[in-house]
Amino acid sequence: IRQRRRQAEEHLAFAGALADGIIHDLRNPLSSLRLDVQMLAREAERGADARPERMAELAGRALRTMEREDAVLREFLYVAKPDGRDMATIDFNACVRESIDLLAARFEKDATPIAVELASAALPVTVYPVSLKRAVVNVLTNAREATAGKGTVKIATRAEHGMAVLCVDDDGPGIEPSERERIFEMFYTTRPEGTGLGLSLARTAVMKSGGTITAGVGDLRGARITIMLPLAGPVVAGES
């Protein structure tokens, strides 16, 4: 009971911090949205002299702002829900496969090739299953977006020194050394359309399960995100 109470308190503290960040993050976009709508209204008041191309530009910009803020709020609603279950021992390979399946349609839509090289053996890890899957999905989504539909994503797992390791590589522009820590900060993003939440939430979930997540350079010369989790048992070939 004490452990569950502590987990609930930690979750509430995290949700509170996230809410504060979202309020801060909403202010500037809402100001821009208000200005765009005001200019759109003024343009419409010109009647027959209104410029359709200018109205389309303003409406499109306002819509993109709204979509971005909607994405931020959806992320918040997603993470604000507790896991709903205790830690459990699962096969990390199975978690990765399920995450790939969830995003298969998006990869196909973007025509983004994916190379999957999972360990031949099961990789048992004791984790919060729902949170970990969210983390893997967020990392895969980040890699897909980094290629902008024009590159390749490589996904590989292995066992190494008592750890289950997942490496997600892309052949996008990569991550500057000065940004390899910052990309895991809440609301930090290098893309105008990004929310800055995906990798931050991934780090929180991985750390909650006792693991680490880091950024570097991968085999494809772009970015590599590496997740490492303690193995919960022996790795036996042929189980996966």
Side-chain angles (χ1 to χ4, degrees), residues 114-127:
I114 56 173
V116 181
E117 300 177 3
L118 302 188
S120 59
L123 301 176
V125 291
T126 300
V127 298

Side-chain angles (χ1 to χ4, degrees), residues 68-90:
R68 180 183 182 280
E69 298 316 307
D70 180 62
V72 171
L73 292 174
R74 280 189 282 108
E75 285 279 11
F76 171 66
L77 292 174
Y78 195 40
V79 78
K81 298 178 181 179
D83 248 322
R85 66 173 75 180
D86 295 328
M87 294 185 82
T89 300
I90 65 169

Side-chain angles (χ1 to χ4, degrees), residues 11 18 31 36 45 51-52 141 145 149 152 156 214 232:
H11 185 85
L18 186 60
S31 296
D36 282 340
E45 288 170 358
R51 296 165 293 175
T141 298
E145 292 174 348
T152 300
T214 57

